Amino acid sequence: MGKDVIIACDFASREETLTFLDQFTGRKPFVKIGMELYYAAGPEIVRELKARGHKIFLDLKLHDIPNTVKKAMAVLSRLDVDLVNLHAAGTKAMMEAALEGLTRPDGTRPLLIAVTQLTSTSQERMEADLLIEKPLDQVVMHYAKMAQESGLDGVVCSPLEAQKVHEVCGQSFLTVTPGVRFADGEVGDQVRVMTPAEANRIGSDYIVVGRPITKAADPVAAYARCIREFVET
Ligand code: C5P
């Protein structure tokens, strides 16, 4: 898969999601289904969007004992999603089990990426709550390396970390980056943001864009602008 824009469908119901996506009559966007929508609408929403021609990033961030994650991943693989994720904090054994579970009898599987440290975790909270006393960026790079050694395809990371992840893990290790805003847009609750063009320059493979598209007056135009800035500049 090449560079692409993934729309974060952070909606509370199937109806809201379909009404939003009905506007896209041309190119069917790659979409992200997160916990809110999946827990509300279930696996059926995944089947429905796949049938409509969307690629799906199922952002459920699995983290449990290896056997449980392996079995859960086998279920998600049968849903035919394109991209799924887990927490690297679950350790290598969990990541390797996840890959086993995801791999179909014919050897194919969805791409699997890891969350390193959530971007909502600060150095201070990591030290005080998790007793991890190394610098945050070192922890992120260690988790990325561990994910790569376990056979995963990439990581979700801040756009500010993407370049370094590629330096540490190589150019073909995928970086999927949220926190994207248009130069003239609202930042909202995201703290460290980048424009689609900047994300392209620093080497993000996929950008995850929510509100700049979902809350735009013209979502189709906002999506087209993201594609233009990220993929075509
Ligand atoms: O609306 P916005 O563009 O901020 O949405 C970004 C999406 O990426 C949301 O679904 C959010 O949960 C997700 N995300 C993030 N930061 C992370 C991981 C995921 O913003 N570190």
Side-chain angles (χ1 to χ4, degrees):
M1 296 203 281
K3 271 182 184 278
D4 209 349
V5 173
I6 303 177
I7 304 181
C9 287
D10 293 323
F11 299 113
S13 70
R14 168 185 177 273
E15 291 67 31
E16 243 184 288
T17 308
L18 296 184
T19 303
F20 171 74
L21 290 175
D22 277 344
Q23 300 172 90
F24 295 82
T25 52
R27 173 184 180 141
K28 296 287 174 196
F30 199 144
V31 296
K32 177 170 91 74
I33 297 177
M35 291 185 202
E36 183 188 14
L37 181 58
Y38 190 78
Y39 292 148
E44 202 41 46
I45 188 72
V46 176
R47 293 191 191 97
E48 202 164 355
L49 296 188
K50 277 302 284 187
R52 286 170 165 234
H54 295 278
K55 281 188 176 169
I56 311 252
F57 169 18
L58 194 54
D59 178 20
L60 298 182
K61 301 186 178 73
L62 275 69
H63 188 176
D64 207 320
I65 60 171
N67 187 53
T68 302
V69 169
K70 178 178 168 179
K71 290 188 168 161
M73 285 295 187
V75 176
L76 300 184
S77 189
R78 286 195 289 274
L79 275 180
D80 200 22
V81 295
D82 298 280
L83 182 59
V84 282
N85 63 359
L86 46 65
H87 273 283
T91 75
K92 279 187 177 177
M94 188 199 80
M95 291 193 269
E96 287 163 3
L99 273 179
E100 258 181 66
L102 269 188
T103 306
R104 305 181 183 107
D106 66 359
T108 63
R109 62 167 176 81
L111 291 172
L112 178 61
I113 59 175
V115 175
T116 55
Q117 281 292 336
L118 291 168
T119 47
S120 51
T121 305
S122 63
Q123 179 76 39
E124 190 192 10
R125 288 334 313 164
M126 195 178 66
E127 287 177 17
D129 299 355
L130 308 180
L131 287 186
I132 299 174
E133 290 176 346
K134 302 265 187 203
L136 184 55
D137 70 327
Q138 209 175 312
V139 175
V140 168
M141 295 312 145
H142 174 68
Y143 281 27
K145 198 82 201 129
M146 195 171 62
Q148 186 177 39
E149 286 164 8
S150 307
L152 271 68
D153 304 294
V155 287
V156 186
C157 63
S158 145
L160 299 160
E161 293 157 356
Q163 210 159 5
K164 188 128 186 241
V165 167
H166 279 141
E167 281 165 24
V168 172
C169 300
Q171 290 303 321
S172 59
F173 194 64
L174 300 174
T175 53
V176 178
T177 61
V180 174
R181 293 293 179 265
F182 291 121
D184 52 1
E186 275 175 38
V187 171
D189 57 355
Q190 294 282 14
V191 180
R192 297 176 302 161
V193 298
M194 266 192 194
T195 65
E198 284 165 342
N200 179 34
R201 272 195 294 281
I202 54 93
S204 291
D205 295 289
Y206 295 89
I207 50 173
V208 176
V209 188
R211 289 159 292 179
I213 296 175
T214 58
K215 303 276 187 235
D218 183 345
V220 178
Y223 172 66
R225 180 178 174 190
C226 270
I227 294 278
R228 224 168 30 241
E229 289 191 15
F230 179 63
V231 184
E232 293 163 12
T233 53

